[in-house]
Amino acid sequence: MPKAFLSIEALGVSFPGRTGANEVLANVNLQIDEGEFVSIIGHSGCGKSTLLNVVAGLVPITTGAVILDRSAIDAPGPDRAVVFQNHSLLPWLSVYENVRLAVDKVFASKKSRRERHEWAMENLALVQMTHAADKRPSEISGGMKQRVGIARALAIQPKVLLLDEPFGALDALTRARLQDSVMEIHAKLANTVLMITHDVDEAALLSDRIVMMTNGPAATIGEVLTVSLPRPRKRLELSADPTYLAARVAVLEFLYARQAA
Amino acid sequence: MSLPAQKFEIAGEVESPASLTPATATRRPTPGPSRATRVFAVVKAAAAGVLPPAAMLLVLLGLWQLLAGDGAGLPAPSMIWLESKDLILDPFFDNGGVDKGLFWHVTTSLSRVGVGFGLAAVVGIALGVLVGANLWAHRGLDPLFQVLRTVPPLAWLPISLAAFREAQPSALFVIFITSIWPIIINTAVGVRNLPADYVNVSRTLSLSPLEHFWKILLPATTPYIFTGLRIGIGMSWLAIVASEMLLGGVGVGFFIWDQYNSSRISDIVVALIWVGLVGFALDRAVALLGRLVSRGSALS
């Protein structure tokens, strides 16, 4: 059997607690192909962020393994990039410098100074943020900060892009525009994406597959739904599409009938 | 001033020029006020800052003048002007020995503070980072710091005189030991409160410990460090005046003590005003430096 690009195998995560180990994730199995867009959805506290942090290398694995492109993950590394929910831009650096920091670190020996500058600008252009390159994070809106966060993540050319509820803190209109941007970028670069979300519409619109998690403790994957909608997807056309509506219903049914929090 | 416009941007996410116009419109409802109105606004703001303290000062001086009268004891403001006119008008004279203008005394004190405080800043930031970043250093050193920082500056002076046997290094040591505690403690708090987000950024980029220090830890801690430096410079200015009284030689503290021994109370009042103004300037200078270094945006 050919190995998947990103493979999560019998993963279990426990944190030491006051009354023995606190089991957060148990026996999580998930195979993701190169270029695939996979969303993970579940109620708050079900461990979906923990799962993403394990793939990022920020949380240690207790049992099982995570294998990315034939090598096991046990620490953070530039082959995976994370877009954090609260953008995590460094406030003392400009938008450009935030992206440049990542570019300089990852391409220090591979690109010349000039190439690194152009690469940082290219990634800012990809998220339509060149106009604010010299602004500080405090001077731009929440949606713009998240765009810069995405540019910083893309700039290191990760094998897998990890999005941790990237649009959770944004208003509906801004969120829709950013979702469209993410779809455009995914169409252009064909990245492998793993996204955490609690928004059913967002999951159905963006994903190739939706992974639904059971409630914790010892959460695991309850169901995986394939969203076989052709790309590019258009928000307006989809709103009445039977496949899209069926996917929404399936996820809603899982979350609120079978895993009611 | 720019707050309403910023709020608008967060809500609407200004990106295209088309959506930018309403934001600009709310910022400037009219084509711009005339020059006369703007000059008037600046004068008004300045007056609001300067007039109340100036008026209060006049009231206090008047009260002082009335209460002091002509008797002995504390001289009235008019008396001070008569007795210490030379000292007030010419701070730059130098008749050799310790008979110098106040400018030279203050400069000497300032240079001592500069050296002692400079050393305290370097050592304090280094120790603060260590105590903030390392749990065992924190457990071992923090209790000692908490006890030592409560020792009053002048209590260090006899020990320091016994150790160094000379006035100059003793004064420097007292400055150093007085101002180092707030620097250590604030730096350590800043390092311990390093947001987890920045640590995650550093970890996902696999920054080396050295890169982490220079690119994440130090800039993120800068506001805390400058809070410590600001408290420290204030305390060192308190300490220098007191320690110079005991050590003698040149310096504004010694000047005050010397004038007291010659019963020239008026000169002391003039020196106190200098001490106050210089201390105020030091505080503002460190605050300004902090704003420049953190580029005004480190706390956002």
Side-chain angles (χ1 to χ4, degrees), chain B residues 99-172:
Chain B
D99 188 12
K100 295 173 198 277
L102 268 170
F103 175 81
W104 304 112
H105 287 289
V106 166
T107 313
T108 308
S109 299
L110 271 178
S111 68
R112 285 179 182 147
V113 165
V115 175
F117 177 73
L119 280 173
V122 173
V123 178
I125 292 170
L127 275 174
V129 169
L130 177 74
V131 169
N134 186 302
L135 185 65
W136 283 105
H138 174 72
R139 285 181 183 161
L141 291 171
D142 194 62
L144 300 184
F145 293 164
Q146 297 297 344
V147 170
L148 289 177
R149 80 188 171 91
T150 63
V151 175
L154 282 185
W156 290 102
L157 194 62
I159 291 198
S160 127
L161 270 172
F164 294 106
R165 291 162 195 285
E166 266 181 71
Q168 181 74 357
S170 302
L172 295 183

Coordinates of all heavy atoms in Angstrom, one line a residue, chain B residues 99-172:
Chain B
D99 N 34.6 75.3 44.9 CA 33.8 76.5 44.7 C 33.5 76.7 43.2 O 34.1 77.4 42.5 CB 34.6 77.7 45.2 CG 33.8 79.0 45.2 OD1 32.5 78.9 45.0 OD2 34.4 80.1 45.3
K100 N 32.4 75.9 42.8 CA 32.1 75.9 41.3 C 30.6 76.2 41.2 O 29.8 76.1 42.2 CB 32.3 74.5 40.7 CG 33.7 74.0 40.7 CD 33.7 72.6 40.2 CE 35.0 71.9 40.5 NZ 36.1 72.1 39.5
G101 N 30.2 76.5 40.0 CA 28.8 76.7 39.7 C 28.0 75.4 39.8 O 28.6 74.4 39.7
L102 N 26.7 75.5 39.9 CA 25.9 74.3 40.1 C 26.0 73.4 38.9 O 25.9 72.2 39.0 CB 24.4 74.7 40.4 CG 24.1 74.8 41.8 CD1 22.7 75.4 42.0 CD2 24.2 73.5 42.5
F103 N 26.2 74.0 37.7 CA 26.3 73.2 36.5 C 27.4 72.1 36.6 O 27.2 71.0 36.3 CB 26.5 74.1 35.3 CG 26.8 73.3 34.0 CD1 25.7 72.8 33.3 CD2 28.1 73.0 33.6 CE1 25.9 72.1 32.1 CE2 28.3 72.3 32.4 CZ 27.2 71.8 31.7
W104 N 28.5 72.5 37.2 CA 29.6 71.6 37.3 C 29.3 70.5 38.4 O 29.7 69.4 38.2 CB 30.9 72.3 37.7 CG 31.2 73.4 36.6 CD1 31.2 74.7 36.8 CD2 31.5 73.2 35.3 NE1 31.4 75.4 35.6 CE2 31.7 74.4 34.6 CE3 31.7 72.0 34.5 CZ2 32.0 74.6 33.3 CZ3 32.0 72.2 33.1 CH2 32.1 73.4 32.6
H105 N 28.7 70.9 39.5 CA 28.3 69.9 40.5 C 27.3 68.9 39.9 O 27.5 67.7 40.1 CB 27.6 70.6 41.7 CG 28.6 71.4 42.5 ND1 29.5 70.8 43.3 CD2 28.8 72.7 42.7 CE1 30.3 71.7 44.0 NE2 29.8 72.9 43.6
V106 N 26.3 69.4 39.2 CA 25.4 68.5 38.6 C 26.0 67.6 37.6 O 25.7 66.4 37.5 CB 24.2 69.3 38.0 CG1 23.3 68.4 37.1 CG2 23.3 69.9 39.1
T107 N 26.9 68.1 36.8 CA 27.6 67.3 35.8 C 28.4 66.2 36.4 O 28.3 65.0 35.9 CB 28.6 68.2 34.9 OG1 27.9 69.4 34.5 CG2 29.0 67.4 33.7
T108 N 29.1 66.5 37.5 CA 29.8 65.5 38.2 C 28.9 64.4 38.7 O 29.1 63.2 38.5 CB 30.6 66.1 39.4 OG1 31.4 67.2 38.9 CG2 31.5 65.0 40.0
S109 N 27.8 64.8 39.3 CA 26.8 63.8 39.8 C 26.3 63.0 38.7 O 26.1 61.7 38.8 CB 25.7 64.5 40.6 OG 26.2 65.2 41.6
L110 N 26.0 63.6 37.6 CA 25.4 62.9 36.4 C 26.4 61.9 35.9 O 26.0 60.8 35.5 CB 25.0 63.9 35.3 CG 23.6 64.5 35.4 CD1 23.4 65.5 34.3 CD2 22.6 63.5 35.3
S111 N 27.7 62.3 35.8 CA 28.6 61.3 35.3 C 28.7 60.1 36.2 O 28.9 59.0 35.7 CB 30.0 62.0 35.1 OG 30.6 62.3 36.3
R112 N 28.6 60.3 37.5 CA 28.6 59.1 38.4 C 27.4 58.3 38.1 O 27.5 57.0 38.1 CB 28.6 59.6 39.9 CG 30.0 60.1 40.3 CD 29.9 60.6 41.7 NE 31.2 61.1 42.1 CZ 31.4 62.1 43.0 NH1 30.4 62.7 43.5 NH2 32.6 62.5 43.3
V113 N 26.3 58.9 38.0 CA 25.0 58.2 37.7 C 25.2 57.4 36.4 O 24.8 56.3 36.3 CB 23.8 59.1 37.7 CG1 22.6 58.4 37.1 CG2 23.5 59.5 39.1
G114 N 25.8 58.1 35.4 CA 25.9 57.5 34.1 C 26.7 56.2 34.2 O 26.3 55.2 33.7
V115 N 27.9 56.2 34.9 CA 28.7 55.0 35.0 C 28.0 53.9 35.8 O 27.8 52.8 35.4 CB 30.1 55.3 35.6 CG1 30.9 54.1 35.8 CG2 30.8 56.3 34.7
G116 N 27.5 54.3 37.0 CA 26.9 53.3 37.9 C 25.6 52.7 37.3 O 25.4 51.5 37.3
F117 N 24.8 53.6 36.7 CA 23.5 53.2 36.1 C 23.8 52.4 34.9 O 23.1 51.4 34.6 CB 22.7 54.4 35.9 CG 21.4 54.0 35.2 CD1 20.3 53.4 35.9 CD2 21.1 54.3 33.9 CE1 19.1 53.1 35.3 CE2 20.0 54.0 33.2 CZ 18.9 53.4 34.0
G118 N 24.8 52.8 34.1 CA 25.1 52.0 32.9 C 25.5 50.6 33.2 O 25.0 49.6 32.6
L119 N 26.4 50.4 34.2 CA 26.8 49.1 34.6 C 25.6 48.3 35.1 O 25.4 47.1 34.8 CB 27.8 49.2 35.8 CG 29.2 49.4 35.3 CD1 30.1 49.7 36.6 CD2 29.8 48.3 34.5
A120 N 24.7 49.0 35.9 CA 23.5 48.3 36.5 C 22.6 47.9 35.3 O 22.0 46.8 35.4 CB 22.8 49.2 37.4
A121 N 22.5 48.7 34.3 CA 21.6 48.3 33.1 C 22.1 47.1 32.5 O 21.4 46.1 32.2 CB 21.6 49.5 32.2
V122 N 23.4 47.0 32.2 CA 24.0 45.8 31.5 C 23.9 44.6 32.3 O 23.3 43.6 31.9 CB 25.5 46.1 31.1 CG1 26.1 44.8 30.6 CG2 25.6 47.2 30.1
V123 N 24.3 44.7 33.6 CA 24.3 43.5 34.5 C 22.9 43.1 34.8 O 22.5 41.9 34.8 CB 25.1 43.8 35.8 CG1 25.0 42.6 36.7 CG2 26.6 44.1 35.4
G124 N 22.0 44.2 35.0 CA 20.6 43.9 35.4 C 19.8 43.2 34.3 O 19.1 42.3 34.6
I125 N 20.0 43.7 33.1 CA 19.3 43.0 32.0 C 19.7 41.6 31.8 O 18.9 40.7 31.7 CB 19.4 43.8 30.7 CG1 18.7 45.2 30.8 CG2 18.9 43.1 29.5 CD1 19.0 46.2 29.7
A126 N 21.1 41.4 31.9 CA 21.6 40.0 31.7 C 21.0 39.1 32.8 O 20.5 38.0 32.6 CB 23.1 40.0 31.8
L127 N 21.1 39.6 34.1 CA 20.6 38.7 35.2 C 19.1 38.5 35.1 O 18.6 37.5 35.4 CB 20.9 39.4 36.5 CG 22.3 39.1 37.1 CD1 22.5 40.0 38.4 CD2 22.4 37.6 37.5
G128 N 18.4 39.6 34.6 CA 16.9 39.5 34.5 C 16.5 38.5 33.5 O 15.6 37.7 33.7
V129 N 17.3 38.4 32.4 CA 17.0 37.4 31.3 C 17.2 36.0 31.9 O 16.4 35.1 31.7 CB 17.8 37.7 30.1 CG1 17.7 36.5 29.1 CG2 17.4 38.9 29.4
L130 N 18.3 35.9 32.6 CA 18.7 34.6 33.2 C 17.6 34.1 34.2 O 17.1 33.0 34.1 CB 20.0 34.7 33.9 CG 20.5 33.4 34.7 CD1 20.9 32.4 33.7 CD2 21.6 33.7 35.7
V131 N 17.2 35.0 35.1 CA 16.2 34.7 36.1 C 14.8 34.4 35.5 O 14.1 33.6 35.9 CB 16.1 35.8 37.2 CG1 14.9 35.6 38.1 CG2 17.4 35.8 38.0
G132 N 14.5 35.2 34.4 CA 13.2 35.0 33.7 C 13.2 33.7 32.9 O 12.1 33.1 32.8
A133 N 14.3 33.4 32.3 CA 14.3 32.2 31.4 C 14.5 30.9 32.0 O 14.1 29.9 31.6 CB 15.3 32.5 30.2
N134 N 15.3 30.9 33.1 CA 15.7 29.7 33.7 C 15.0 29.4 35.1 O 15.2 30.2 36.0 CB 17.2 29.7 33.9 CG 17.8 28.3 34.4 OD1 17.4 27.8 35.5 ND2 18.7 27.8 33.6
L135 N 14.3 28.3 35.2 CA 13.5 28.1 36.4 C 14.4 28.0 37.6 O 14.1 28.5 38.7 CB 12.7 26.8 36.2 CG 11.7 26.5 37.3 CD1 10.6 27.6 37.4 CD2 11.1 25.1 37.1
W136 N 15.5 27.3 37.5 CA 16.4 27.1 38.7 C 17.1 28.4 39.1 O 17.3 28.6 40.3 CB 17.4 26.0 38.4 CG 16.7 24.6 38.5 CD1 16.3 23.8 37.5 CD2 16.2 24.0 39.7 NE1 15.7 22.7 38.0 CE2 15.6 22.8 39.3 CE3 16.3 24.3 41.1 CZ2 15.0 21.9 40.3 CZ3 15.7 23.5 42.0 CH2 15.0 22.3 41.6
A137 N 17.5 29.2 38.1 CA 18.0 30.5 38.4 C 17.0 31.3 39.2 O 17.3 32.0 40.1 CB 18.5 31.2 37.2
H138 N 15.7 31.2 38.7 CA 14.7 32.0 39.4 C 14.5 31.5 40.8 O 14.4 32.3 41.7 CB 13.4 31.7 38.6 CG 12.2 32.4 39.2 ND1 12.0 33.7 39.3 CD2 11.1 31.8 39.9 CE1 10.9 34.0 39.9 NE2 10.3 32.9 40.3
R139 N 14.4 30.2 41.0 CA 14.2 29.6 42.3 C 15.4 30.0 43.3 O 15.2 30.3 44.4 CB 14.1 28.1 42.3 CG 12.8 27.7 41.8 CD 12.6 26.2 41.8 NE 11.3 25.9 41.2 CZ 11.0 24.7 40.7 NH1 11.9 23.7 40.8 NH2 9.8 24.4 40.3
G140 N 16.6 30.0 42.7 CA 17.8 30.3 43.5 C 18.0 31.7 43.8 O 18.3 32.1 44.9
L141 N 17.8 32.6 42.8 CA 18.2 34.0 42.9 C 17.0 34.9 43.3 O 17.3 35.9 44.0 CB 18.8 34.5 41.6 CG 20.1 33.9 41.3 CD1 20.5 34.2 39.8 CD2 21.2 34.3 42.2
D142 N 15.8 34.6 42.9 CA 14.8 35.6 43.1 C 14.5 35.9 44.6 O 14.4 37.1 44.9 CB 13.4 35.1 42.5 CG 12.4 36.2 42.4 OD1 12.7 37.2 41.7 OD2 11.4 36.0 43.1
P143 N 14.6 34.9 45.5 CA 14.4 35.3 46.9 C 15.5 36.2 47.4 O 15.2 37.2 48.2 CB 14.5 33.9 47.7 CG 14.1 32.9 46.6 CD 14.6 33.5 45.3
L144 N 16.7 36.0 47.0 CA 17.8 36.9 47.4 C 17.6 38.3 46.9 O 17.7 39.3 47.6 CB 19.2 36.4 46.8 CG 19.6 35.0 47.2 CD1 21.0 34.7 46.6 CD2 19.7 34.9 48.7
F145 N 17.2 38.4 45.6 CA 16.9 39.7 45.0 C 15.8 40.4 45.8 O 15.9 41.6 46.1 CB 16.4 39.6 43.6 CG 17.5 39.1 42.7 CD1 17.2 38.6 41.4 CD2 18.9 39.2 43.0 CE1 18.2 38.2 40.5 CE2 19.9 38.7 42.2 CZ 19.6 38.2 41.0
Q146 N 14.7 39.7 46.2 CA 13.6 40.3 46.8 C 14.0 40.9 48.2 O 13.5 41.9 48.6 CB 12.5 39.3 47.0 CG 11.9 38.8 45.7 CD 11.2 39.8 44.9 OE1 10.9 40.9 45.4 NE2 11.0 39.6 43.6
V147 N 15.0 40.2 48.9 CA 15.4 40.7 50.2 C 16.4 41.9 49.9 O 16.2 43.0 50.5 CB 16.1 39.6 51.0 CG1 16.8 40.2 52.2 CG2 15.1 38.5 51.4
L148 N 17.4 41.7 49.0 CA 18.4 42.7 48.9 C 17.8 44.1 48.3 O 18.3 45.1 48.7 CB 19.5 42.2 47.9 CG 20.4 41.2 48.5 CD1 21.4 40.7 47.4 CD2 21.1 41.7 49.7
R149 N 16.7 44.0 47.5 CA 16.2 45.2 46.9 C 15.6 46.1 47.9 O 15.4 47.3 47.7 CB 15.2 44.9 45.8 CG 13.8 44.5 46.3 CD 13.0 44.0 45.1 NE 11.7 43.5 45.6 CZ 10.6 44.3 45.8 NH1 10.7 45.6 45.4 NH2 9.5 43.8 46.2
T150 N 15.3 45.6 49.1 CA 14.6 46.4 50.1 C 15.7 47.2 51.0 O 15.3 48.0 51.8 CB 13.7 45.6 51.1 OG1 14.5 44.7 51.8 CG2 12.7 44.9 50.3
V151 N 17.0 46.8 50.8 CA 18.0 47.5 51.6 C 18.1 49.0 51.1 O 18.3 49.2 49.9 CB 19.4 46.8 51.4 CG1 20.4 47.6 52.1 CG2 19.3 45.4 52.0
P152 N 18.0 49.9 52.0 CA 18.0 51.3 51.5 C 19.4 51.7 51.0 O 20.4 51.1 51.4 CB 17.8 52.1 52.8 CG 17.3 51.2 53.8 CD 17.8 49.8 53.4
P153 N 19.5 52.5 50.0 CA 20.7 52.9 49.3 C 21.9 53.2 50.3 O 23.0 52.7 50.1 CB 20.4 54.1 48.4 CG 18.9 54.0 48.2 CD 18.3 53.3 49.4
L154 N 21.6 54.1 51.2 CA 22.7 54.6 52.1 C 23.2 53.5 53.0 O 24.3 53.6 53.5 CB 22.2 55.7 52.9 CG 22.2 57.0 52.1 CD1 21.8 58.2 53.1 CD2 23.5 57.3 51.5
A155 N 22.4 52.4 53.2 CA 22.9 51.3 54.1 C 24.0 50.6 53.4 O 24.9 49.9 54.1 CB 21.8 50.4 54.4
W156 N 24.1 50.7 52.1 CA 25.2 50.0 51.4 C 26.5 50.8 51.5 O 27.6 50.3 51.2 CB 24.9 49.9 49.9 CG 23.8 48.9 49.6 CD1 22.5 49.2 49.3 CD2 23.9 47.5 49.5 NE1 21.8 48.1 49.0 CE2 22.7 47.0 49.2 CE3 25.0 46.6 49.7 CZ2 22.4 45.6 49.0 CZ3 24.8 45.3 49.5 CH2 23.5 44.8 49.2
L157 N 26.4 52.1 51.8 CA 27.6 53.0 51.7 C 28.7 52.6 52.7 O 29.9 52.5 52.2 CB 27.1 54.4 52.0 CG 28.2 55.5 51.6 CD1 28.4 55.4 50.1 CD2 27.7 56.9 52.0
P158 N 28.5 52.3 53.9 CA 29.6 51.9 54.8 C 30.3 50.6 54.3 O 31.5 50.6 54.3 CB 28.9 51.6 56.1 CG 27.6 52.3 56.1 CD 27.2 52.4 54.7
I159 N 29.5 49.7 53.9 CA 30.1 48.4 53.3 C 30.9 48.7 52.1 O 32.1 48.2 52.0 CB 29.0 47.4 53.0 CG1 28.3 47.0 54.3 CG2 29.5 46.3 52.1 CD1 27.5 45.7 54.1
S160 N 30.4 49.6 51.3 CA 31.1 49.8 50.0 C 32.3 50.6 50.3 O 33.4 50.4 49.7 CB 30.1 50.5 49.1 OG 30.5 51.7 48.6
L161 N 32.3 51.5 51.3 CA 33.5 52.3 51.7 C 34.6 51.3 52.2 O 35.8 51.4 51.9 CB 33.2 53.4 52.7 CG 32.8 54.7 52.2 CD1 32.3 55.6 53.3 CD2 34.0 55.3 51.5
A162 N 34.1 50.4 53.0 CA 35.0 49.4 53.6 C 35.7 48.6 52.5 O 36.9 48.2 52.6 CB 34.3 48.5 54.6
A163 N 34.9 48.2 51.5 CA 35.4 47.4 50.5 C 36.3 48.1 49.5 O 37.4 47.6 49.2 CB 34.3 46.7 49.7
F164 N 35.9 49.3 49.1 CA 36.7 50.0 48.1 C 37.7 51.0 48.6 O 38.7 51.4 48.0 CB 35.8 50.8 47.1 CG 34.9 49.8 46.3 CD1 33.5 49.7 46.6 CD2 35.4 49.1 45.2 CE1 32.7 48.9 45.9 CE2 34.6 48.3 44.5 CZ 33.3 48.1 44.8
R165 N 37.5 51.5 49.9 CA 38.4 52.4 50.6 C 38.6 53.7 49.9 O 39.5 54.5 50.1 CB 39.8 51.8 50.8 CG 39.8 50.7 51.7 CD 41.0 49.8 51.6 NE 40.8 48.5 52.3 CZ 40.9 48.4 53.6 NH1 41.1 49.5 54.4 NH2 40.6 47.2 54.2
E166 N 37.7 54.0 48.9 CA 37.8 55.3 48.2 C 36.4 55.8 47.9 O 35.5 55.0 47.7 CB 38.6 55.2 46.9 CG 40.0 55.5 47.0 CD 40.7 55.4 45.7 OE1 40.4 56.3 44.8 OE2 41.4 54.4 45.4
A167 N 36.3 57.2 47.9 CA 35.0 57.8 47.7 C 34.3 57.4 46.3 O 33.2 57.0 46.2 CB 35.0 59.3 47.9
Q168 N 35.1 57.6 45.3 CA 34.6 57.6 43.9 C 34.0 56.2 43.6 O 32.8 56.1 43.3 CB 35.7 57.9 42.9 CG 35.2 57.9 41.5 CD 34.3 59.1 41.1 OE1 34.0 59.9 41.9 NE2 33.9 59.1 39.8
P169 N 34.8 55.1 43.8 CA 34.1 53.8 43.5 C 33.0 53.4 44.4 O 32.0 52.8 44.0 CB 35.3 52.8 43.6 CG 36.4 53.5 44.3 CD 36.2 54.9 44.1
S170 N 33.1 53.9 45.7 CA 32.0 53.7 46.6 C 30.7 54.3 46.1 O 29.6 53.7 46.2 CB 32.3 54.2 48.0 OG 33.5 53.6 48.4
A171 N 30.8 55.5 45.6 CA 29.6 56.2 45.1 C 29.0 55.4 43.9 O 27.8 55.2 43.8 CB 29.9 57.6 44.7
L172 N 29.9 55.0 43.0 CA 29.5 54.3 41.9 C 28.8 53.0 42.3 O 27.7 52.6 41.7 CB 30.7 53.9 40.9 CG 31.3 55.1 40.3 CD1 32.5 54.6 39.4 CD2 30.3 56.0 39.5

